[in-house]
């Protein structure tokens, strides 16, 4: 479960009397506040340890949290920064699990439209949860993705023009093409490449309990209709479920669960129901991020086993929400 720090007075340099995990979370959020403050389109407000980042289209709230671990990480607690975006105008019409699972979260790209289980808000929110020890180098690189989400989190939801929200970055795509070309066929018993062509790789998870249970695609040749060019990440669970009427609720449950428990990889996409009826996790990262996260294809693959295993265990009833 996530433990927030709403009672503190902003992400200032904390004193040494606070717990070590709280010190680290607040320091990281303080750094991100500094980066966001350099954007003239973003207005910042800091109250009670929570940071507000306001733009013309959305209100984003960032707060440091310490997540209880799940699975092999169950013994510890893990730092994260949760971001919730309230789009303007309010999207109350998305308050349907089936709409979210079969339409909105299938194509939203970055983040998940969720109704937090313990939240009394009037409408679902666009949510992401960034684990600070998930393999991304947060001191310099990983925070770029968090800043993008906080500053432009609702722009692609409200865009009604034919032009993508983000400009194409040829340099970023070139970095990712290179990273895909250099992926090893096997990675420490975690995954095995099934297919590799320019800009597209298909991976089977190879952990002993995941054989034939999930498949991962990373594609650079399928632009997002609103985000533009970038990297499309898809993790599809292989099992078909007979209780199809419950799949939409399960998607909501899995998305919320990823903000409550640390599974070893950041929650930057959304669980949804794919066209073939399978439970699928999809994220789309704009190409401009490729310049600061050149190894993102490998990092996403390395986190796939943890996400697939956590989802399967949760659906089997072995892990509580």
């Amino acid at each position: 479960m996530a433990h927030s720090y709403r009672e503190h007075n902003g992400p200032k340099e904390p004193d040494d009397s606070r717990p070590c995990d709280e010190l680290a979370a607040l320091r990281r959020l303080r750094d991100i506040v500094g980066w966001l403050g350099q954007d003239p389109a973003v207005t910042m407000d800091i109250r009670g340890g929570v940071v507000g980042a306001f733009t013309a289209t959305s209100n984003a709230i960032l707060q440091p949290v310490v997540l209880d671990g799940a699975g092999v990480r169950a013994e510890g607690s893990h730092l994260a920064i949760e971001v919730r975006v309230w789009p303007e105008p309010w999207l109350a019409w998305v308050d349907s699990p089936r709409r979210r699972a079969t339409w909105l979260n299938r194509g939203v790209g970055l983040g998940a439209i969720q109704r937090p289980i313990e939240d009394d808000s009037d409408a679902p929110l666009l949510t992401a949860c960034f684990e600070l020890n998930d393999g991304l180098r947060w001191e310099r690189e990983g925070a770029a993705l968090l800043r993008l989400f906080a500053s432009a989190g609702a722009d692609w939801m409200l865009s009604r023009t034919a032009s993508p929200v983000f400009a194409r970055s040829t340099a970023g795509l070139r970095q990712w093409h290179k990273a895909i070309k250099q992926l090893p066929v096997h990675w420490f018993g975690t995954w095995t490449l099934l297919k590799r062509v320019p800009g597209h790789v298909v991976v089977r998870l190879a952990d002993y309990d995941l054989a034939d249970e999930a498949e991962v695609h990373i594609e650079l040749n399928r632009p997002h209709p609103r985000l533009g060019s970038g990297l499309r990440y898809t993790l599809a669970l292989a099992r078909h479920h007979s209780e199809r009427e419950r799949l939409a609720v399960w998607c909501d449950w899995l998305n919320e669960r990823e903000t409550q428990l640390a599974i070893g990889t950041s929650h930057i996409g959304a669980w949804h129901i794919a066209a073939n009826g399978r439970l699928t996790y999809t994220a789309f990262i704009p190409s401009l991020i490729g310049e600061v996260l050149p190894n993102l294809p490998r990092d996403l693959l390395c986190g796939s086993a943890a996400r697939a295993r956590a989802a399967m265990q949760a659906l089997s009833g072995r892990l509580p929400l």
Side-chain angles (χ1 to χ4, degrees):
M1 181 175 293
H3 310 289
S4 66
Y5 294 111
R6 296 179 182 274
E7 70 273 16
H8 300 306
N9 296 317
K12 62 185 178 181
E13 183 70 32
D15 59 63
D16 293 337
S17 64
R18 293 175 175 172
C20 291
D21 54 3
E22 181 182 343
L23 291 172
L26 290 174
R27 287 194 180 106
R28 184 63 64 236
L29 185 56
R30 180 203 60 192
D31 293 340
I32 291 168
V33 167
W35 289 320
L36 284 171
Q38 298 174 15
D39 187 341
V42 179
T43 300
M44 306 296 298
D45 188 13
I46 304 171
R47 298 183 184 180
V50 178
V51 174
F54 307 103
T55 71
T57 58
S58 66
N59 303 324
I61 301 298
L62 299 80
Q63 61 176 334
V65 294
V66 177
L67 305 178
D68 293 334
V72 296
R73 297 155 60 87
E75 297 302 320
S77 58
H78 307 272
L79 303 179
I81 293 178
E82 184 182 83
V83 186
R84 293 184 175 182
V85 177
W86 285 259
E88 297 288 353
W90 289 84
L91 300 182
W93 51 271
V94 306
D95 195 13
S96 160
R98 180 156 293 279
R99 279 200 197 103
R100 291 194 289 271
T102 60
W103 173 38
L104 293 163
N105 280 331
R106 187 188 293 182
V108 69
L110 193 58
I113 298 176
Q114 300 174 215
R115 172 179 281 285
I117 292 175
E118 298 179 356
D119 199 310
D120 295 328
S121 60
D122 294 330
L125 313 173
L126 186 66
T127 304
C129 192
F130 297 83
E131 292 190 28
L132 300 186
N133 55 355
D134 68 351
L136 298 179
R137 289 147 295 278
W138 280 93
E139 290 78 5
R140 185 179 75 256
E141 299 169 357
L145 187 56
L146 192 155
R147 297 200 307 273
L148 177 71
F149 187 90
S151 62
D155 289 351
W156 58 90
M157 296 170 63
L158 302 177
S159 176
R160 297 294 181 266
T161 68
S163 301
V165 172
F166 301 108
R168 174 187 174 92
S169 170
T170 301
L173 290 174
R174 188 183 302 118
Q175 293 278 14
W176 284 340
H177 273 282
K178 180 180 177 182
I180 286 177
K181 185 177 180 180
Q182 294 177 344
L183 286 172
V185 175
H186 305 283
W187 184 266
F188 300 105
T190 302
W191 45 262
T192 300
L193 293 188
L194 297 179
K195 174 184 176 181
R196 174 163 40 198
V197 296
H200 185 188
V201 65
V202 182
V203 167
R204 180 180 63 204
L205 301 181
D207 277 11
Y208 72 95
D209 58 341
L210 295 176
D212 301 321
E213 292 286 0
E215 187 174 270
V216 181
H217 289 245
I218 289 182
E219 302 170 83
L220 304 180
N221 303 320
R222 291 179 60 197
H224 191 280
R226 292 180 297 278
L227 291 171
S229 65
L231 184 155
R232 185 182 299 272
Y233 167 86
T234 305
L235 165 64
L237 300 184
R239 297 183 186 181
H240 285 277
H241 296 273
S242 59
E243 299 180 90
R244 295 179 63 87
E245 68 280 0
R246 299 186 62 187
L247 289 183
V249 175
W250 288 353
C251 288
D252 271 352
W253 180 52
L254 288 172
N255 283 324
E256 177 64 12
R257 183 180 178 281
E258 295 223 15
T259 68
Q260 297 293 315
L261 295 173
I263 65 173
T265 187
S266 289
H267 176 43
I268 59 175
W271 284 100
H272 60 92
I273 304 171
N276 61 8
R278 293 179 177 175
L279 291 174
T280 301
Y281 188 93
T282 298
F284 189 94
I285 297 90
S287 56
L288 61 90
I289 293 295
E291 297 183 57
V292 289
L293 282 177
N295 294 316
L296 187 60
R298 185 195 65 198
D299 292 338
L300 289 171
L301 290 179
C302 288
S304 296
R307 169 162 285 121
R309 181 180 294 107
M312 290 171 57
Q313 290 177 334
L315 292 171
S316 298
R318 284 185 281 166
L319 285 177
L321 181 64

